[in-house]
Amino acid sequence: MIRQRCLALAYDYMRRGIYVDERLTLLKEISELPGVPGYEDEVSDYIAAKMRPYAEVTKDNLGSVICKKAGTSDRPRIMLAGHMDEVGGMVMYITKEGAVKFQVLGGLLEQVSQAQRFVIKTSSGDVIGVTGTRPPHIQKPDERAKVPDRSRMFIDVGASSKEEAETMGIVPGDPVIPFSPFTVMKNPKYLLGKAFDDRAGCAVFMEVIRALQGVEHPNTVYGVGTVQEEVGTRGATTSGAAVDPDICIVLEFDIPGDTPNVAEWEGRVRLGKGPGILVYDNSLIAHRRLRDFVIATAKSAGIPLQFGFMPGGGNDGGKIQVNRTGVPTLPITIPVRYGHCHTGIMHRDDFDMAVTLVTEMMKRLDEPTVKAIKGNQ
């Protein structure tokens, strides 16, 4: 199925004069995979299959995938963490009328979740449906002004009864995935799709490991696709213990301020202006000496760098930084519009520059540099 979609994509983009390279194909394939919290298997299997020619691949007991790329020394160990899960839901209950009630997994916005298509992954195959909503013609003025009540949300799968929905294979616990096909926009630098938070981060560490083939680096690099970040950064705890890193770079998204209704102090980064450093969020304060190292590396490599703050968010680094006696940790981000919605927009140049920046960092993080970052030298 993925191959058929990719062939259709290639034909459409060829007709539009868009060059389809390996990275574009990677971003399409990985973003379209289903993977809400607790159901990341298809994403982890995809990463594992892609990385086995380049790295030693294992998984921890919670499901995070760990791709070990050995360098000239076991230490320092550099962890590149991107979470595989996306916001979505799971089937909770089927009403007598055949409507599917669901439990939200992660911070899926109620304001934009109505009249959206979802895919329910069942043991009998995919079932597509739409979140039902009351037409505006019968809504009272005060009802239109309110944020939808999450407890009243349901998915209409075209069933007339509970029994009919059950014959489709739907049972409680089935994952509910936002439906949002990957699209290259009219300006081909802009990419539209789902789960860029944080499949784009996973794609960065995959491309970094590929870029390091045949390249000497004085460390061991661990690209890690973590599970269940959106419901409490759970995979960060287990994978951090498995890797025992000396340095952690979290590969995440940041909120850009180049759209209407977002003030410049609310979103400090911009699409197409390069990767960013997330200096602060509720879970993590970026390590100062590691920040300075990233700034110096970006300057040396000629890569523009942005700086973001997200006081209302958190990321895997919050758990990894407190592993054992502490790990200098910092998020490197890609700006993505419309986080935690069905569809986001990212810029290809930001992705490419993030890969280049992190690759250059891996070449320079030797034992003396890491000791200096830790303050041990």
Side-chain angles (χ1 to χ4, degrees), residues 49-367:
K50 290 287 187 181
M51 288 292 97
R52 281 196 182 98
Y54 309 103
E56 176 187 331
V57 178
T58 58
K59 295 183 182 181
D60 71 15
N61 293 331
L62 205 59
S64 296
V65 61
I66 301 169
C67 309
K68 176 184 176 183
K69 170 64 176 69
T72 57
S73 175
D74 178 58
R75 296 277 184 182
R77 296 180 181 179
I78 315 301
M79 183 173 180
L80 305 178
H83 67 88
M84 299 183 291
D85 57 321
E86 60 186 303
V87 295
M90 69 161 66
V91 173
M92 182 173 60
Y93 179 75
I94 304 173
T95 71
K96 62 181 180 181
E97 298 85 6
V100 177
K101 304 285 288 184
F102 63 100
Q103 168 66 46
V104 169
L105 298 177
L108 187 68
L109 282 176
E110 292 95 332
Q111 295 96 319
V112 296
S113 297
Q114 292 198 87
Q116 296 278 7
R117 288 194 287 178
F118 286 87
V119 176
I120 301 174
K121 305 288 290 186
T122 82
S123 58
S124 303
D126 292 355
V127 177
I128 195 160
V130 61
T131 39
T133 183
R134 280 163 54 82
H137 313 75
I138 60 174
Q139 290 186 18
K140 297 178 180 179
D142 62 335
E143 185 180 356
R144 297 182 193 179
K146 292 179 181 177
V147 174
D149 182 353
R150 179 179 290 185
S151 67
R152 299 184 65 184
M153 291 174 61
F154 65 91
I155 299 174
D156 186 338
V157 295
S160 60
S161 66
K162 178 180 180 180
E163 291 73 21
E164 185 178 356
E166 289 175 341
T167 64
M168 297 177 182
I170 301 171
V171 297
D174 283 341
V176 174
I177 315 295
F179 178 82
S180 181
F182 179 91
T183 305
V184 175
M185 302 181 78
K186 184 69 174 178
N187 179 341
K189 293 286 189 179
Y190 287 80
L191 310 176
L192 182 147
K194 75 172 182 67
F196 291 152
D197 172 20
D198 182 39
R199 306 284 170 71
C202 293
V204 169
F205 79 67
M206 293 170 72
E207 285 298 283
V208 169
I209 288 174
R210 286 206 327 141
L212 289 173
Q213 296 310 300
V215 176
E216 192 170 283
H217 52 102
N219 46 47
T220 298
V221 176
Y222 291 81
V224 181
T226 66
V227 297
Q228 300 190 44
E229 190 268 358
E230 297 290 2
V231 291
T233 59
R234 298 168 186 172
T237 301
T238 55
S239 62
V243 172
D244 186 24
D246 297 289
I247 295 288
C248 177
I249 303 298
V250 180
L251 303 166
E252 260 287 1
F253 95 108
D254 198 358
I255 299 169
D258 53 2
T259 58
N261 304 321
V262 179
E264 62 178 334
W265 60 87
E266 293 176 314
R268 293 167 174 80
V269 299
R270 302 291 184 270
L271 265 67
K273 302 300 182 182
I277 293 176
L278 188 59
V279 180
Y280 171 88
D281 72 11
N282 273 340
S283 67
L284 173 70
I285 297 172
H287 190 278
R288 179 174 58 83
R289 287 185 292 273
L290 182 54
R291 177 205 63 187
D292 292 345
F293 167 78
V294 175
I295 293 171
T297 303
K299 184 176 181 180
S300 175
I303 298 170
L305 198 59
Q306 307 188 76
F307 298 91
F309 293 76
M310 198 185 296
N315 67 74
D316 278 339
K319 295 287 179 65
I320 298 168
Q321 68 177 340
V322 293
N323 183 65
R324 294 173 64 88
T325 58
V327 180
T329 301
L330 173 147
I332 289 180
T333 64
I334 295 174
V336 177
R337 292 175 182 165
Y338 320 123
H340 285 209
C341 296
H342 248 61
T343 303
I345 296 176
M346 61 177 283
H347 197 285
R348 173 64 188 267
D349 289 352
D350 297 329
F351 177 82
D352 289 342
M353 286 188 279
V355 172
T356 301
L357 172 60
V358 177
T359 302
E360 288 301 314
M361 290 165 54
M362 297 307 98
K363 297 175 185 177
R364 304 172 192 217
L365 281 169
D366 55 16
E367 185 176 4

